[in-house]
Amino acid sequence: MDRCKKTLSTSLVGGMGMMFIGTLVFNLIPGQMLRVFTSDPQVIAIGTVGFHFVGISFIPMVTSLIFPVFFQAVGAAVKSSLLTVVRTVVLFVPLGYLFSRLGLNDFWFTFPVTEVITTLVGVFFYRRFMAQQK
């Protein structure tokens, strides 16, 4: 368990460091990245807004992706599966639909909201799991 906890913390710190770089890139040069794929100004304008929202979701995405791996490693497969289902089925798809009803720019809220809520659920599961280990 100690090795798994240490690996979790190392993964979180390393992942957040890398994702911080991704966040900076997505927020500082979205147009340049999008121009690799298209020259259509409308697509670039839509994608620039999207990149800003997706970029800020990178930091909480680290925990929402690493917690399921931690739970698999310690034999808590149900928690791992629940987090994955919560992230993709319970949150992302319904929130994407709801936000899309408000407009294209509002759709992008799906990404950070999904990742933050999944992170909070993951922290809740982690705390309960660690309390049961004592």
PDB file of all heavy atoms in Angstrom, residues 2-19:
ATOM      1  N   ASP A   2       1.964   1.232   0.776  1.00  0.00           N
ATOM      2  CA  ASP A   2       2.837   2.410   0.815  1.00  0.00           C
ATOM      3  C   ASP A   2       3.420   2.712  -0.565  1.00  0.00           C
ATOM      4  O   ASP A   2       3.500   3.874  -0.968  1.00  0.00           O
ATOM      5  CB  ASP A   2       3.971   2.203   1.826  1.00  0.00           C
ATOM      6  CG  ASP A   2       3.487   2.259   3.264  1.00  0.00           C
ATOM      7  OD1 ASP A   2       2.415   2.870   3.503  1.00  0.00           O
ATOM      8  OD2 ASP A   2       4.159   1.694   4.141  1.00  0.00           O
ATOM      9  N   ARG A   3       3.810   1.661  -1.279  1.00  0.00           N
ATOM     10  CA  ARG A   3       4.364   1.843  -2.620  1.00  0.00           C
ATOM     11  C   ARG A   3       3.318   2.442  -3.561  1.00  0.00           C
ATOM     12  O   ARG A   3       3.613   3.340  -4.347  1.00  0.00           O
ATOM     13  CB  ARG A   3       4.868   0.501  -3.163  1.00  0.00           C
ATOM     14  CG  ARG A   3       5.543   0.581  -4.497  1.00  0.00           C
ATOM     15  CD  ARG A   3       6.145  -0.768  -4.871  1.00  0.00           C
ATOM     16  NE  ARG A   3       5.138  -1.818  -4.909  1.00  0.00           N
ATOM     17  CZ  ARG A   3       4.585  -2.290  -6.034  1.00  0.00           C
ATOM     18  NH1 ARG A   3       4.974  -1.822  -7.194  1.00  0.00           N
ATOM     19  NH2 ARG A   3       3.681  -3.235  -5.980  1.00  0.00           N
ATOM     20  N   CYS A   4       2.081   1.995  -3.451  1.00  0.00           N
ATOM     21  CA  CYS A   4       0.997   2.517  -4.300  1.00  0.00           C
ATOM     22  C   CYS A   4       0.705   3.981  -3.971  1.00  0.00           C
ATOM     23  O   CYS A   4       0.465   4.788  -4.876  1.00  0.00           O
ATOM     24  CB  CYS A   4      -0.263   1.664  -4.149  1.00  0.00           C
ATOM     25  SG  CYS A   4      -0.126   0.055  -4.937  1.00  0.00           S
ATOM     26  N   LYS A   5       0.711   4.327  -2.687  1.00  0.00           N
ATOM     27  CA  LYS A   5       0.468   5.715  -2.296  1.00  0.00           C
ATOM     28  C   LYS A   5       1.586   6.626  -2.815  1.00  0.00           C
ATOM     29  O   LYS A   5       1.324   7.723  -3.305  1.00  0.00           O
ATOM     30  CB  LYS A   5       0.339   5.837  -0.777  1.00  0.00           C
ATOM     31  CG  LYS A   5      -0.976   5.312  -0.262  1.00  0.00           C
ATOM     32  CD  LYS A   5      -1.229   5.413   1.215  1.00  0.00           C
ATOM     33  CE  LYS A   5      -0.189   5.948   2.094  1.00  0.00           C
ATOM     34  NZ  LYS A   5      -0.509   5.860   3.526  1.00  0.00           N
ATOM     35  N   LYS A   6       2.824   6.142  -2.717  1.00  0.00           N
ATOM     36  CA  LYS A   6       3.951   6.937  -3.206  1.00  0.00           C
ATOM     37  C   LYS A   6       3.875   7.085  -4.726  1.00  0.00           C
ATOM     38  O   LYS A   6       4.110   8.176  -5.267  1.00  0.00           O
ATOM     39  CB  LYS A   6       5.273   6.294  -2.811  1.00  0.00           C
ATOM     40  CG  LYS A   6       6.458   7.107  -3.237  1.00  0.00           C
ATOM     41  CD  LYS A   6       7.758   6.549  -2.749  1.00  0.00           C
ATOM     42  CE  LYS A   6       8.845   7.382  -3.373  1.00  0.00           C
ATOM     43  NZ  LYS A   6      10.037   7.492  -2.737  1.00  0.00           N
ATOM     44  N   THR A   7       3.528   6.012  -5.402  1.00  0.00           N
ATOM     45  CA  THR A   7       3.382   6.078  -6.860  1.00  0.00           C
ATOM     46  C   THR A   7       2.264   7.027  -7.246  1.00  0.00           C
ATOM     47  O   THR A   7       2.390   7.793  -8.210  1.00  0.00           O
ATOM     48  CB  THR A   7       3.120   4.668  -7.434  1.00  0.00           C
ATOM     49  OG1 THR A   7       4.207   3.813  -7.078  1.00  0.00           O
ATOM     50  CG2 THR A   7       2.966   4.706  -8.941  1.00  0.00           C
ATOM     51  N   LEU A   8       1.166   7.000  -6.489  1.00  0.00           N
ATOM     52  CA  LEU A   8       0.058   7.918  -6.744  1.00  0.00           C
ATOM     53  C   LEU A   8       0.522   9.362  -6.630  1.00  0.00           C
ATOM     54  O   LEU A   8       0.280  10.173  -7.526  1.00  0.00           O
ATOM     55  CB  LEU A   8      -1.102   7.655  -5.780  1.00  0.00           C
ATOM     56  CG  LEU A   8      -2.270   8.632  -5.864  1.00  0.00           C
ATOM     57  CD1 LEU A   8      -3.017   8.473  -7.184  1.00  0.00           C
ATOM     58  CD2 LEU A   8      -3.215   8.434  -4.690  1.00  0.00           C
ATOM     59  N   SER A   9       1.196   9.696  -5.555  1.00  0.00           N
ATOM     60  CA  SER A   9       1.614  11.089  -5.371  1.00  0.00           C
ATOM     61  C   SER A   9       2.644  11.502  -6.424  1.00  0.00           C
ATOM     62  O   SER A   9       2.564  12.613  -6.966  1.00  0.00           O
ATOM     63  CB  SER A   9       2.135  11.328  -3.956  1.00  0.00           C
ATOM     64  OG  SER A   9       3.353  10.680  -3.754  1.00  0.00           O
ATOM     65  N   THR A  10       3.570  10.620  -6.760  1.00  0.00           N
ATOM     66  CA  THR A  10       4.557  10.934  -7.798  1.00  0.00           C
ATOM     67  C   THR A  10       3.867  11.132  -9.148  1.00  0.00           C
ATOM     68  O   THR A  10       4.193  12.058  -9.894  1.00  0.00           O
ATOM     69  CB  THR A  10       5.604   9.806  -7.901  1.00  0.00           C
ATOM     70  OG1 THR A  10       6.244   9.651  -6.636  1.00  0.00           O
ATOM     71  CG2 THR A  10       6.640  10.107  -8.964  1.00  0.00           C
ATOM     72  N   SER A  11       2.898  10.277  -9.445  1.00  0.00           N
ATOM     73  CA  SER A  11       2.163  10.385 -10.707  1.00  0.00           C
ATOM     74  C   SER A  11       1.358  11.674 -10.775  1.00  0.00           C
ATOM     75  O   SER A  11       1.280  12.307 -11.834  1.00  0.00           O
ATOM     76  CB  SER A  11       1.224   9.191 -10.879  1.00  0.00           C
ATOM     77  OG  SER A  11       1.950   7.991 -10.920  1.00  0.00           O
ATOM     78  N   LEU A  12       0.743  12.049  -9.658  1.00  0.00           N
ATOM     79  CA  LEU A  12      -0.042  13.285  -9.633  1.00  0.00           C
ATOM     80  C   LEU A  12       0.843  14.504  -9.864  1.00  0.00           C
ATOM     81  O   LEU A  12       0.509  15.377 -10.664  1.00  0.00           O
ATOM     82  CB  LEU A  12      -0.808  13.412  -8.319  1.00  0.00           C
ATOM     83  CG  LEU A  12      -1.976  12.442  -8.135  1.00  0.00           C
ATOM     84  CD1 LEU A  12      -2.547  12.562  -6.725  1.00  0.00           C
ATOM     85  CD2 LEU A  12      -3.052  12.667  -9.173  1.00  0.00           C
ATOM     86  N   VAL A  13       1.980  14.545  -9.189  1.00  0.00           N
ATOM     87  CA  VAL A  13       2.885  15.692  -9.346  1.00  0.00           C
ATOM     88  C   VAL A  13       3.444  15.736 -10.771  1.00  0.00           C
ATOM     89  O   VAL A  13       3.414  16.783 -11.433  1.00  0.00           O
ATOM     90  CB  VAL A  13       4.026  15.647  -8.308  1.00  0.00           C
ATOM     91  CG1 VAL A  13       5.100  16.671  -8.614  1.00  0.00           C
ATOM     92  CG2 VAL A  13       3.472  15.862  -6.904  1.00  0.00           C
ATOM     93  N   GLY A  14       3.927  14.603 -11.262  1.00  0.00           N
ATOM     94  CA  GLY A  14       4.475  14.559 -12.622  1.00  0.00           C
ATOM     95  C   GLY A  14       3.420  14.849 -13.672  1.00  0.00           C
ATOM     96  O   GLY A  14       3.655  15.610 -14.623  1.00  0.00           O
ATOM     97  N   GLY A  15       2.257  14.258 -13.507  1.00  0.00           N
ATOM     98  CA  GLY A  15       1.168  14.477 -14.453  1.00  0.00           C
ATOM     99  C   GLY A  15       0.715  15.917 -14.475  1.00  0.00           C
ATOM    100  O   GLY A  15       0.462  16.490 -15.548  1.00  0.00           O
ATOM    101  N   MET A  16       0.610  16.515 -13.305  1.00  0.00           N
ATOM    102  CA  MET A  16       0.177  17.917 -13.255  1.00  0.00           C
ATOM    103  C   MET A  16       1.223  18.841 -13.870  1.00  0.00           C
ATOM    104  O   MET A  16       0.869  19.822 -14.527  1.00  0.00           O
ATOM    105  CB  MET A  16      -0.169  18.325 -11.835  1.00  0.00           C
ATOM    106  CG  MET A  16      -1.480  17.725 -11.400  1.00  0.00           C
ATOM    107  SD  MET A  16      -2.068  18.428  -9.878  1.00  0.00           S
ATOM    108  CE  MET A  16      -3.483  17.391  -9.595  1.00  0.00           C
ATOM    109  N   GLY A  17       2.477  18.502 -13.680  1.00  0.00           N
ATOM    110  CA  GLY A  17       3.533  19.301 -14.312  1.00  0.00           C
ATOM    111  C   GLY A  17       3.439  19.252 -15.825  1.00  0.00           C
ATOM    112  O   GLY A  17       3.489  20.288 -16.505  1.00  0.00           O
ATOM    113  N   MET A  18       3.272  18.057 -16.364  1.00  0.00           N
ATOM    114  CA  MET A  18       3.153  17.917 -17.823  1.00  0.00           C
ATOM    115  C   MET A  18       1.871  18.565 -18.349  1.00  0.00           C
ATOM    116  O   MET A  18       1.876  19.220 -19.390  1.00  0.00           O
ATOM    117  CB  MET A  18       3.208  16.445 -18.223  1.00  0.00           C
ATOM    118  CG  MET A  18       4.593  15.856 -18.096  1.00  0.00           C
ATOM    119  SD  MET A  18       4.707  14.197 -18.762  1.00  0.00           S
ATOM    120  CE  MET A  18       4.086  13.259 -17.382  1.00  0.00           C
ATOM    121  N   MET A  19       0.782  18.371 -17.616  1.00  0.00           N
ATOM    122  CA  MET A  19      -0.487  18.945 -18.066  1.00  0.00           C
ATOM    123  C   MET A  19      -0.498  20.467 -17.940  1.00  0.00           C
ATOM    124  O   MET A  19      -1.204  21.140 -18.693  1.00  0.00           O
ATOM    125  CB  MET A  19      -1.659  18.340 -17.295  1.00  0.00           C
ATOM    126  CG  MET A  19      -1.918  16.903 -17.670  1.00  0.00           C
ATOM    127  SD  MET A  19      -2.280  16.728 -19.427  1.00  0.00           S
ATOM    128  CE  MET A  19      -3.587  15.527 -19.347  1.00  0.00           C
TER     129      MET A  19
END
